[in-house]
Amino acid sequence: MAEKILLKGNEAMAEAALRAGCQVYFGYPITPQSELIEYMAKRMPEIGRTFLQAESEVAAVNMIYGAACTGTRVMTSTSSPGFSLMMEGVSYIAGANLPAVFINVVRGGPGLGDIQPAQSDYFQGTKGGGHGDYRLIVLSPATIQEAVNMMFDAFDLADRYRNPVLIIADGLLGQMMEPVELPDFITPDRIPNHEGWALRGKGSREQHTITSFDLDPVKLEEMNLKNYETYQKIQENEVRYEEYLMDDAEVAFVAYGTMGRILKTTIRLAREAGIKAGLIRPISLWPFPEKPIREAAEKVKMVMSVEMSMGQMVEDVRLAVSGKVPTPFYGRTGGIVPTPTEVFEALKREWEALV
Amino acid sequence: MNRPVQKYHSTIISGFGGQGVMLIGQTLTSAAMMEKLYVTWIPSYGPEMRGGTANCTVVIDETPIGSPVIDRPTDVIAMNIPSLLKFEKTILPGGTLLLNTSVIDREPTRADIRVYRVNAGEIAGKIGSDKVANMVILGAFVGITRVVSLESVRLALEKKIGEKRPELLAMNLQALKAGENAIAGQ
Amino acid sequence: MKGIVAFKRPDALTSKEFTYCPGCLHGVAHRLVAEILDEMKLTDQTIMVAPVGCSVFAYEFFDVDGTVAPHGRATAVATGIKRSLPDRVVFTYQGDGDLAAIGTAETIHTANRGEKITTIFINNAIYGMTGGQMAPTSLVGMKTTTSPYGRKADSEGYPIHVCELLQNLNGVAYLERVTLLTPRDIITAKKAIKKAFTAQVRGLGYSLVEIVSTCPTNWGLSPVESLEWAKQKMLPEFPLKVFIDKVGDVK
Ligand SMILES: Cc1ncc(C[n+]2csc(CCOP(=O)(O)OP(=O)(O)O)c2C)c(N)n1
Ligand code: SF4
Ligand SMILES: [Mg+2]
């Protein structure tokens, strides 16, 4: 592997995406993601690939739909309001079983919100957002290196399950710089060719068609059930999470992305103060790492969720814990990033109330 | 200067937009990377940059870095008065405050931190350009903390501006050295 | 301040200082609209819809009731306001990205319905607020952060001519392209804005004034250079013209 270089998160994700075989990029500028689309504008033509700035996120997502129909590795990136606009297309892409990769560099919301880091699009990403019975595979990196490696994972997962994959980052990860090692470009033979279903002109084979619907409810139910078999497989095989200092933990924090990373410093403060805290950091937000949290709830005295939102993932955490231990929540919203000490103070309050 | 070199440093670098605070941070970050240390750099971005202060946070450590967001830094580099007012109170006891006295004409109030003063503007002016005041400050900071070697900073700068602007590089290197000299004896 | 008051801040502007970059023409455009609202005594009954773009805070500068639409949807929001309160004056203020990229459908259909609202359209050939990306009105060959090798007609198409597109729609009552590069241009622009609001007040249909503007910051030019660049490059592409005038003479 190459030596480390210093990159902004947005640029690192872009470079990693093209090394992971992204052939086509469509997008629309929006802060705090613009470095990503700008990097693509520069780099994609340089290596003979395709970049196009769409007239809107609505157009971009449908360009993704089209490119995905041809079995080409395709992605887009946006930030919260833009991802809201893409919801219709995401639902169609999921319904049509198409592989595609989305990055949402989340900012404070709702509405126009602001451009500071946030995690308030968890519901939108993991619970639908668009209409209908569908699931996205949702991944969330905590460091730039993890984000880089995740781009490869994301394209592979999208291809393997023929399902859209969403990476939830946030403005802080996008703007941050950290040394990274960039994996080499993957070789074309590692990319599935999708000859069996892609639209490429029928030649001498039978026609291929791709749709996200069936007007016959019996058939549509069959389609959805088949999708749910896939989702089941994803839940069985693709849960990703990190455990940090959980062996002797009396308090389990649950936090993802940037927040998960910040908590590692909080945990140091907690342990210095004699509170044995640990962390379960979901890396896949869907499928959600329900099992390790359920198991932790058997051992610890408290499972505390921390988010850059008013509490969205905490609902999944509470489902996993099922009332076995208290499940307090701490969060900041609107683009405010909780600091390590602030969370430590919140932990102390909860801990003292408990013991 | 016989203090043991401590590797964990969380540094907030703050000033007006245009004082080159982002470059101080990025250069320090590159130097740390060259020394194979773990390092993160985060900028303040968005509307707050337009008017008042721009700042960035650099965390350097020998082990993987948890929070890149720091509310209690080990060091603060204040390039202007608003930065001093905002960040002096956040420094950990025993931490370091480096003041750019060409802009800051008032004294800090804390007694439990180490304060260093460098008239970066004047020193830069003598070298030939106000623009290298940020590198004077960086030279001083590295001199104080020894968090990375001046040599690594030099290499980082060479990489960043060397190829394109050799004459600029020479001035920047001079500024680094002058900064380091300026804190000798403080 | 000493001396005589040569002119004062229009009542339709608040006392808030503009936050636009030095030399940006958004401020001039604001002032002209405000002067017309004062002159026509419309300030008290006007509702404005700001866009998402550099002028997202326009409602803070205009002392009228106002809101901000989602990016591109200003004329739809304005339609909702006008249809609820038909006797109020409603205007949108939009950039080229907002009006002619993401909001193209709304732009065309609002005009086609002859919605009795007014649009002030600031064409600076770039996405100012987000840091200089390509706009639908960016010129062929123009370098932006998303067309780093220059806009290519072959892959990114040609600059969109909004007035030329809208002139075929029967719902439009007043349509003119102006600029603000010289004092004379500014006088012409002010007249155009007056006619546009008159079209609305008289219930004649949709009115739009396109203002060929500048963005010194993202064009990478000084304010003065940017005026020259607009004259040399923008005006040949976007000729100044009255496209539709169903208003006739106004004094
Ligand atoms: C749905 C959505 N997509 C993207 C953005 C980001 N965005 C904000 S302003 C803007 C473009 C502004 O350009 P323009 O309309 O030309 O106005 P200017 O700033 O040049 O005056 C974009 C893309 C957004 N706010 N919402
Ligand atoms: S970025 Fe451009 S359009 Fe926006 S305020 Fe500055 S000069 Fe004006
Ligand atoms: Mg514009």
Side-chain angles (χ1 to χ4, degrees), chain A residues 287-306:
Chain A
F288 189 71
E290 189 245 326
K291 188 160 159 264
I293 296 172
R294 180 161 28 89
E295 288 170 359
E298 304 287 348
K299 300 189 314 192
V300 300
K301 299 206 172 81
M302 176 168 110
V303 177
M304 181 165 178
S305 304
V306 185

Side-chain angles (χ1 to χ4, degrees), chain B residues 10 17 46 48 57 61 65-66 69 82 97 103 140 142 151 177 182:
Chain B
S10 50
E48 71 178 286
T57 305
D61 206 348
I65 289 161
V69 178
L97 172 62
V103 179
V142 169
E151 176 61 13
K177 196 77 204 138

Side-chain angles (χ1 to χ4, degrees), chain A residues 3-6 8 32 115-117 171-172 175-179 261-262 264-265 268 337-342, chain B residues 8 26 29-30 33 37-43 45-48 61 65-72 159-160:
Chain A
E3 65 171 310
K4 290 198 173 180
I5 57 169
L6 202 56
K8 261 195 176 186
I115 59 176
Q116 301 304 319
L172 195 121
Q175 299 298 321
M176 183 168 75
M177 277 183 148
E178 202 170 23
R261 169 176 199 159
I262 292 172
K264 290 187 178 175
T265 302
R268 215 192 57 217
V337 181
T339 63
T341 352
E342 167 182 357
Chain B
Y8 175 80
Q26 286 179 4
T29 304
S30 301
M33 180 179 74
L37 293 163
Y38 291 91
V39 57
T40 58
W41 172 90
I42 55 170
Y45 66 93
E48 71 178 286
D61 206 348
I65 289 161
S67 181
V69 178
I70 298 297
D71 47 359
R72 304 296 314 269
K159 235 181 165 169
K160 181 128 193 146

